[in-house]
Amino acid sequence: MSTAEETGAGDPQAWAEVTPDAARRLLIAAVEAFAERGYHATTTRDIAGRAGMSPAALYIHYKTKEELLHRISRIGHEKALDILRTAAGREGSAAERLADAVSSFVRWHAGGRTTARVVQYELDSLGPDARAEILALRRQVDAEVRGIVEGGVADGSFDVPDVKGTTLAILSLCIDVARWFSLDGPRTPDEVGALYADLVLRMVGSK
C-alpha cells in the first residue's frame, strides 16, 4: 500500500465528508506533506503542488495552513472516537468490548498510519482555539476506553488498581503504532490489532 492509498488519494469514498473535490484533494495533499516533512516545514506551495493546483487555488478553500491541519485533526479524531464508541456499545463482556476497542483502534493507526501520524502528533502545531477543540475530542476518546475498563473492574473481570493510568497506557500503546508500523514488516494491521488486544487484556488482568 502506497502513501497515496493510505491517505485515500485513489479512493473517492475516503475523506468523503470534505467537499468539493478540490478541497478534498488539497486536504489529502496536506496529509501527505505534513507526514513527510512535518507541519512547520511544509509550505502552502508544497501542498498545492502535490494537489496539482496553484497556491492561489488553495486559499479559495482554506484560509491558512493551520485550517487544513485543524480539519484533518478534527476529522481524524472524530473517526477514532466513532471506532471506540462502536466497540464500547457492542454486546458482550467487558473483555470482549475492550479487545474489540483495542484491535479496531490499532488497525486504524496501522492501516492509515500516514494520516494517523498527522492526527496524533501535530497537536501542538494548532493554535489555542483549535487545540482546545481537539483536546476535548481526546477527552471523549479517553472516556470511552476508561468506561470499558471501569465496567470490567466493577463486575470483577478486570484487576486494575489505577484506572486512569491504565487507560492512558492503553491509548498510548495503540497510538504509537502509527509511529513505527510498516506494511513491509512481519505483521498485518489485523495481526497487530489482535496482538495488542491480547496484551491489553493481560494488562488489565482479564479473568
Side-chain angles (χ1 to χ4, degrees):
M1 183 185 293
S2 67
T3 298
E5 289 172 322
E6 287 175 41
T7 55
D11 181 1
Q13 297 304 312
W15 302 97
E17 59 271 80
V18 180
T19 57
D21 181 65
R24 175 179 172 273
R25 285 164 48 205
L26 285 163
L27 184 139
I28 291 171
V31 170
E32 295 171 357
F34 294 157
E36 181 181 315
R37 299 169 58 86
Y39 174 79
H40 292 294
T42 298
T43 66
T44 54
R45 184 175 294 276
D46 294 331
I47 296 167
R50 284 174 182 261
M53 301 166 70
S54 70
L58 184 148
Y59 295 110
I60 295 173
H61 302 284
Y62 301 99
K63 295 178 182 177
T64 63
K65 183 176 71 168
E66 186 193 341
E67 184 180 337
L68 263 167
L69 177 61
H70 181 205
R71 192 161 194 197
I72 292 164
S73 189
R74 184 176 67 247
I75 292 171
H77 278 86
E78 287 171 347
K79 287 182 178 179
L81 180 58
D82 183 63
I83 287 168
L84 294 174
R85 279 182 173 161
T86 298
R90 63 164 284 184
E91 296 292 330
S93 67
E96 289 170 335
R97 289 185 289 119
L98 184 59
D100 187 22
V102 169
S103 60
S104 300
F105 203 43
V106 166
R107 285 198 303 271
W108 185 77
H109 283 84
R113 66 195 188 282
T114 301
T115 297
R117 282 200 303 271
V118 176
V119 169
Q120 298 292 5
Y121 294 113
E122 288 287 3
L123 177 64
D124 289 340
S125 298
L126 292 171
D129 292 343
R131 189 172 187 273
E133 180 185 349
I134 301 306
L135 285 173
L137 286 169
R138 288 196 176 197
R139 286 191 290 271
Q140 293 179 62
V141 165
D142 180 276
E144 292 298 331
V145 176
R146 188 173 66 250
I148 300 173
V149 176
E150 287 173 341
V153 171
D155 68 18
S157 57
F158 295 162
D159 180 13
V160 179
D162 183 350
V163 170
K164 183 177 180 180
T166 300
T167 299
L168 176 60
I170 292 169
L171 288 171
S172 297
L173 192 68
C174 295
I175 289 168
D176 195 55
V177 169
R179 183 185 57 79
W180 63 261
F181 182 81
S182 171
L183 287 171
D184 295 327
R187 291 188 172 93
T188 66
D190 284 346
E191 289 169 340
V192 177
L195 171 64
Y196 274 46
D198 180 67
L199 291 172
V200 167
L201 290 180
R202 293 171 186 269
M203 183 189 300
V204 299
S206 179
K207 300 172 184 177

